[in-house]
Amino acid sequence: VKTYSFRRTLAFWGAVMCVEGCLLFLWIDLITTYAIGTPEMLYELTKVPNFVGGLFFMAGIYLSWFELINMDTEKLNANKLHYFWVSIESVTDLGIDKASYVGALTYLLGAVLYTISQVSDFWELTPGVHNLLIDWPLIVGGLMFFLGGVCELKINKVFETAPTRLVWWVAVLNCYGGL
């Protein structure tokens, strides 16, 4: 029996974190659509779950990034983990498409920008600061998610194959979600 390794379960935990974040985002739509709670409770019922959901989502995306930048640690650099950055050449030398690297990085940057917006949304800000810390991070973060989705389209050969696989549809929907 092999020793448990957290790195062997990164894809699972990344997916779990992203799903938890998405469920909290759906909670906000549920609250606002069905007018659950009183107007005084709206802050706690929407802004806090939005922030926590964003943290879960960012953690899940970071785990995917962490997994990608540490693909070589099983044999080459077992004692040297990368936490934030690795050169694109070290990933492509392992036979991984550049689009995987670029896509994972743009998803991570988009999640960081969304989190900046979610944290800033806790305070009343002047219009100029609001644009800088809330509006622009959402716009640029959405663009990053779209670009990550375009990378997924390339990775999953969406333009070269028929829509017969689940991953084909997931890639298309991820790209569309960034619009």
Side-chain angles (χ1 to χ4, degrees), residues 43 47 115-138:
Y43 181 89
K47 292 197 188 272
T115 303
I116 290 169
S117 173
Q118 292 163 332
V119 170
S120 301
D121 199 29
F122 278 110
W123 293 278
E124 293 293 325
L125 304 170
T126 64
V129 174
H130 186 277
N131 287 340
L132 180 66
L133 294 177
I134 296 177
D135 295 337
W136 279 108
L138 288 175

Side-chain angles (χ1 to χ4, degrees), residues 92-145:
T92 56
D93 288 347
L94 296 170
I96 298 168
D97 192 345
K98 286 182 183 180
S100 295
Y101 182 90
V102 172
L105 182 59
T106 56
Y107 277 144
L108 181 63
L109 294 174
V112 168
L113 288 170
Y114 269 47
T115 303
I116 290 169
S117 173
Q118 292 163 332
V119 170
S120 301
D121 199 29
F122 278 110
W123 293 278
E124 293 293 325
L125 304 170
T126 64
V129 174
H130 186 277
N131 287 340
L132 180 66
L133 294 177
I134 296 177
D135 295 337
W136 279 108
L138 288 175
I139 292 167
V140 176
L143 176 64
M144 293 285 116
F145 281 117

Side-chain angles (χ1 to χ4, degrees), residues 35-139:
I36 297 172
T38 64
E40 295 81 24
M41 296 171 59
L42 194 61
Y43 181 89
E44 288 82 8
L45 290 174
T46 58
K47 292 197 188 272
V48 174
N50 187 41
F51 171 66
V52 174
L55 288 179
F56 271 108
F57 198 74
M58 186 174 68
I61 290 175
Y62 172 75
L63 289 176
S64 298
W65 172 250
F66 183 80
E67 179 183 25
L68 178 71
I69 65 174
N70 287 291
M71 287 289 197
D72 67 339
T73 57
E74 287 298 319
K75 52 184 175 226
L76 300 176
N77 302 313
N79 294 325
K80 184 182 175 199
L81 291 176
H82 309 284
Y83 293 97
F84 298 107
W85 188 258
V86 68
S87 70
I88 194 168
E89 291 82 21
S90 63
V91 174
T92 56
D93 288 347
L94 296 170
I96 298 168
D97 192 345
K98 286 182 183 180
S100 295
Y101 182 90
V102 172
L105 182 59
T106 56
Y107 277 144
L108 181 63
L109 294 174
V112 168
L113 288 170
Y114 269 47
T115 303
I116 290 169
S117 173
Q118 292 163 332
V119 170
S120 301
D121 199 29
F122 278 110
W123 293 278
E124 293 293 325
L125 304 170
T126 64
V129 174
H130 186 277
N131 287 340
L132 180 66
L133 294 177
I134 296 177
D135 295 337
W136 279 108
L138 288 175
I139 292 167

